[in-house]
Each structure stands twice: as structure tokens, then as C-alpha cells.
Amino acid sequence: MEMKTILVVEDEREIARMVQAYLMREGYRVEVAFDGDEGWVRFKTLQPDLVILDLMLPGMHGLEVARRIRQGSPTPIIMLTARAEEADRVAGLEMGADDYVAKPFSLRELAARVRAVLRRTEGGPTPEVIHAGPLTVDLAAREARLEGELVDLTPTEFDLLAHLARYPGRVFTRRELLEALQERSYATLPRTVDSHVKNLRRKLEPDPDKPTFILTVHGVGYKFRPAHEEG
Ligand code: CA
């Protein structure tokens, strides 16, 4: 398999070096930049397969780096954010970042996210039928089945489920989900998404209070359960 290149943009040198060493042991080629401007320049010359991007950077802000990357390429971005940067986290996801990891994070967790995002972004076209344990979502037939039994969903509920299930593990903000639904619904309040999710859980989950398919990401939005958390 061809070696993947990862660019780490992080001004805290110790963190940057630790991430670099860990991911190199995992078999990636890893380059480091210590501020936003350097990060943007390195991105253009390196053309990495994935970027790990701290948001609070000297020079160009991480959000601006993300915006520039996204303007010209679909290269996956994992943001590093501090706990207090919830608004930035949402802004980053809306700017097109694929995932985020909140500091302090474990290197193992970060490496797992890297693998998941790379798997997702090179997975090719979405299969027509998505399987998640007992749940199958048939995109062409617009049907969801639990243990083979058809689940009675409204068109909006189906669209929401399908949108999330296409990208297991990817975090979506309420606004992104709302936009995905907009062809069908005139709702404009991000909180509308919550009531659809509530209905979906009632229909899909044995215990709606302990959801296993559509997971809440606190302060941000929702994600479909990652593929590696099967069962
Ligand atoms: Ca920083």
C-alpha cells in the first residue's frame, strides 16, 4: 500500500512532535508546520492526504487555513480544538473539516480518527445499501429495515438517516443537516433537526435514551455510529 502523507499544523511544538512520532510509527509520512501561514504554504507544496489542523494558531487562524484548503481541494481535515472552543468547532465543521479531536486527546484516539477519515474519504462511491448491525438503509429503494422488518419513516426522517449513515463517524452540525433536508422541508431552525432525530430514535432504537445508531455530539450535532463500533 502506498504511504499516506499527513500534514500536522500545530504551534505547540511538543504536541506536534508527539503526534508526528506516533503517526510515523503507525506507518504514515508526517510533516509538521508550526503556524497558520507556514501550514498553508506546506499544504500547497506537500499536497498531503490528510491535514491535522490546530485552530488557535499564530499567524493565519486555523479556520482560515481550513477555508483555503477547502476552496481548492477535498483533502480531509481533522481539527484540534480546545474544550472552550465550541463555537470554533462548529464553524470548522461548517467550513468543511471532516472531524475534530478536543484537547487534551489521546494519541491512540487521534490515530483512530485518522484511519477512519482516510477510510471514509477513499471509500469510493457509497454503496446502495448501508449496513449497521441490525439496521440496513437501502438508498435506492428509500427503505430502512431493522432485523429485516421495514421501519415506517417519513420522507424527511429517511433523508436525515440516509445523510448520516452515508458517512459513519462523521460529525454533522445541526445546520449542515438542516441544509441537507432543505429540498424537502421548509424548516429553518437548527433545533428542528433534534425533533427528527428524536422520532428516528423512537422508531429505530430498543432504548431511545441510549441510542446506538444516531449519536449525539454534545454542543455540535450528530453522527452515525462509526463502522468500527459495530455490534
Ligand atoms: Ca494552538
Side-chain angles (χ1 to χ4, degrees):
M1 203 175 69
E2 172 202 359
M3 194 184 249
K4 298 281 181 202
T5 302
I6 297 174
L7 173 63
V8 179
V9 189
E10 163 66 89
D11 60 309
E12 289 169 76
R13 285 171 191 252
E14 235 170 87
I15 295 181
R17 291 298 181 205
M18 262 166 33
V19 168
Q20 182 181 37
Y22 193 91
L23 291 176
M24 282 171 75
R25 275 204 303 276
E26 297 270 302
Y28 301 103
R29 176 184 170 210
V30 186
E31 302 286 330
V32 176
F34 298 113
D35 66 52
D37 298 270
E38 189 193 348
W40 172 235
V41 171
R42 298 286 282 135
F43 174 81
K44 286 185 290 183
T45 52
L46 195 62
Q47 303 275 309
D49 297 292
L50 181 141
V51 180
I52 295 173
L53 179 64
D54 185 31
L55 283 191
M56 297 302 281
L57 291 167
M60 196 189 297
H61 192 279
L63 284 177
E64 175 60 16
V65 180
R67 194 184 66 78
R68 291 191 184 192
I69 291 174
R70 201 37 91 244
Q71 267 181 349
S73 94
T75 309
I77 302 170
I78 297 177
M79 296 181 289
L80 301 179
T81 66
R83 286 229 179 278
E85 292 169 357
E86 211 162 76
D88 276 355
R89 200 174 295 167
V90 172
L93 289 166
E94 281 167 2
M95 202 71 85
D98 295 83
D99 202 350
Y100 72 88
V101 176
K103 291 177 182 176
F105 54 87
S106 82
L107 291 166
R108 246 184 73 191
E109 185 196 350
L110 178 63
R113 301 294 183 91
V114 166
R115 278 195 302 276
V117 167
L118 284 173
R119 201 184 315 123
R120 204 155 68 214
T121 49
E122 65 189 17
T126 315
E128 288 285 273
V129 182
I130 298 161
H131 298 272
L135 176 67
T136 56
V137 183
D138 187 329
L139 299 176
R142 295 185 56 81
E143 282 176 0
R145 288 177 183 272
L146 253 186
E147 315 271 13
E149 294 286 320
L150 197 61
V151 186
D152 187 19
L153 300 179
T154 67
T156 303
E157 287 162 5
F158 182 84
D159 284 346
L160 182 60
L161 177 64
H163 194 76
L164 286 159
R166 273 193 187 100
Y167 307 95
R170 184 198 192 292
V171 182
F172 290 95
T173 65
R174 290 182 174 79
R175 198 193 316 259
E176 284 178 306
L177 292 171
L178 201 62
E179 275 166 20
L181 297 180
Q182 231 139 36
E183 279 189 16
R184 201 175 285 284
S185 122
Y186 296 99
T188 50
L189 290 174
R191 291 288 160 184
T192 318
V193 170
D194 297 354
S195 44
H196 292 308
V197 167
K198 203 171 154 203
N199 290 335
L200 275 168
R201 283 175 177 165
R202 192 168 44 76
K203 294 178 179 182
L204 298 176
E205 303 282 356
D207 180 357
D209 292 330
K210 297 195 182 85
T212 58
F213 299 115
I214 300 175
L215 311 178
T216 301
V217 184
H218 286 288
V220 179
Y222 297 101
K223 67 178 179 184
F224 197 75
R225 78 171 184 201
H228 59 273
E229 286 169 26
E230 280 295 300

